[in-house]
Amino acid sequence: MNTTAQEPIVTDAELVARLQAGDESAFEKLVRTYMPRLLRVARRFLSSEEDARDAVQDAFVSVFKSIKNFEKNAQLSTWLHRIIINSSLMKLRSRRRRPEQEIETLLPRFQEDGHQVEPSTPWTESAQTVLERAELRDAVRKSIDQLPESYREILLLRDIEELTADETAEALGISKNVVKVRLHRARQALRTLLDPSMRTVPA
Amino acid sequence: MSVRPYLPCSEVIGFLADYIDRVLPPETIVEFERHLAVCASCVAYLASYKETIRAARIAEDVIADAPEELIEAILRSRLQ
Ligand SMILES: [Zn+2]
């Protein structure tokens, strides 16, 4: 183990080189630098703080184990992001499913002629007001939490974590087409849940 | 001369994700835009669908903290 004073670690490439050489101070640097970002991702997937912290800890255990195999040209942050997503999903799978609303009840309904049963009206609030008002941000997060699990995780992976459809399909072990269908339904369901708070003018 | 029928709202809303990702064939985009030019409900739906995605991003963009006890637990597990 080498914990003597060395050149400061500046770039990720230097950090990886030190990690691969087994430098303990590099591990602490890695944890201090990246842990907040990993915890933030885990908290999106897991509603319990304890579970989120467990997922972060599991992620670092697997980082410590597999850093040897990390390829020089890969992006450290991307690799860590993938690891925390996998450990969050694993933790999520180990939790008992809570009762949830059927997605169909949250999708738009159509008449026989193809028109919406209840025509949509414009929103008066926007994403900008969500940014400005904490209670609206809470409402949006609560609505995301209300989505059925198999839809919520796809919305998080695609729209929040910005994985591609292929990466999402791989992470969940489902087809790209299922990802696509569920993402659209998840967004529609979330839109339905947000509609009352985003539309302050009565329809 | 016969008038081409408009796409039904159900199809416009059904393919909204493809429309905003710009992966629809050009002739379908023309049909979409013909519909949107005359349908206030779908225009409102499209705008709120896009706003939903933005709102979700903003709401989940919380500041990340670094609990010291978690850092220490991780470093301890490393030494085990
Ligand atoms: Zn329409």
Side-chain angles (χ1 to χ4, degrees):
Chain A
M1 214 190 295
N2 184 359
T3 51
T4 52
Q6 294 183 356
E7 294 292 303
I9 299 164
V10 180
T11 66
D12 277 350
E14 289 164 359
L15 182 57
V16 169
R18 298 264 194 102
L19 289 168
Q20 291 180 332
D23 176 349
E24 279 307 317
S25 67
F27 282 101
E28 180 164 357
K29 165 92 176 168
L30 175 81
V31 173
R32 291 198 180 274
T33 308
Y34 284 101
M35 192 273 273
R37 279 179 247 183
L38 268 56
L39 183 57
R40 184 165 80 145
V41 173
R43 281 176 179 155
R44 289 177 184 144
F45 287 88
L46 300 154
S47 52
S48 126
E49 176 68 13
E50 200 190 336
D51 284 352
R53 290 184 182 203
D54 282 353
V56 171
Q57 203 153 354
D58 294 348
F60 276 106
V61 168
S62 93
V63 167
F64 295 156
K65 266 189 207 148
S66 50
I67 189 73
K68 291 187 291 292
N69 309 324
F70 181 81
E71 284 175 41
K72 267 207 184 81
N73 302 326
Q75 189 87 38
L76 184 59
S77 56
T78 309
W79 184 66
L80 294 170
H81 189 226
R82 200 159 304 159
I83 291 176
I84 189 59
I85 283 174
N86 287 334
S87 77
S88 300
L89 289 174
M90 249 176 5
K91 195 88 206 163
L92 202 56
R93 297 287 177 276
S94 74
R95 288 283 164 265
R96 208 156 56 97
R97 294 181 84 99
R98 43 186 192 156
E100 50 193 30
Q101 208 171 345
E102 291 285 329
I103 193 85
E104 280 73 22
T105 63
L106 297 169
L107 299 179
R109 288 177 303 134
F110 298 98
Q111 298 168 348
E112 261 175 50
D113 65 2
H115 286 93
Q116 268 197 276
V117 172
E118 293 151 61
S120 304
T121 53
W123 281 1
T124 47
E125 307 296 342
S126 67
Q128 187 58 35
T129 47
V130 172
L131 183 65
E132 288 158 5
R133 286 167 41 199
E135 85 278 8
L136 209 46
R137 274 203 304 280
D138 285 346
V140 174
R141 272 200 297 273
K142 284 207 181 82
S143 299
I144 294 173
D145 277 346
Q146 280 180 52
L147 294 174
E149 203 52 70
S150 57
Y151 293 87
R152 189 181 71 100
E153 59 191 22
I154 286 184
L155 185 100
L156 289 177
L157 292 170
R158 292 282 286 117
D159 283 345
I160 312 297
E161 303 304 333
E162 301 189 320
L163 262 55
T164 65
D166 282 321
E167 289 164 344
T168 303
E170 203 196 318
L172 296 172
I174 57 179
S175 76
K176 196 175 157 183
N177 198 50
V178 170
V179 170
K180 191 182 147 174
V181 170
R182 283 194 199 157
L183 175 63
H184 184 46
R185 289 192 184 156
R187 288 166 171 174
Q188 288 181 291
L190 182 59
R191 187 212 158 272
T192 303
L193 291 166
L194 296 183
D195 198 40
S197 22
M198 299 295 276
R199 189 166 45 81
T200 44
V201 180
Chain B
M1 202 173 73
S2 69
V3 180
R4 273 183 306 151
Y6 286 96
L7 283 179
C9 299
S10 53
E11 287 211 16
V12 170
I13 291 179
F15 289 94
L16 224 47
D18 289 335
Y19 177 69
I20 64 171
D21 285 344
R22 301 173 184 281
V23 294
L24 289 174
E27 60 275 20
T28 312
I29 294 175
V30 170
E31 291 304 314
F32 253 70
E33 278 157 10
R34 253 180 93 227
H35 182 106
L36 292 172
V38 295
C39 181
S41 175
C42 281
V43 168
Y45 196 93
L46 171 63
S48 58
Y49 183 92
K50 288 182 180 168
E51 219 54 24
T52 296
I53 301 167
R54 285 191 207 115
R57 280 197 186 127
I58 287 169
E60 293 288 346
D61 190 16
V62 288
I63 291 162
D65 61 330
E68 190 58 32
E69 66 275 18
L70 180 55
I71 292 177
E72 277 159 22
I74 293 164
L75 293 173
R76 266 199 310 280
S77 74
R78 156 106 191 119
L79 296 171
Q80 270 163 18

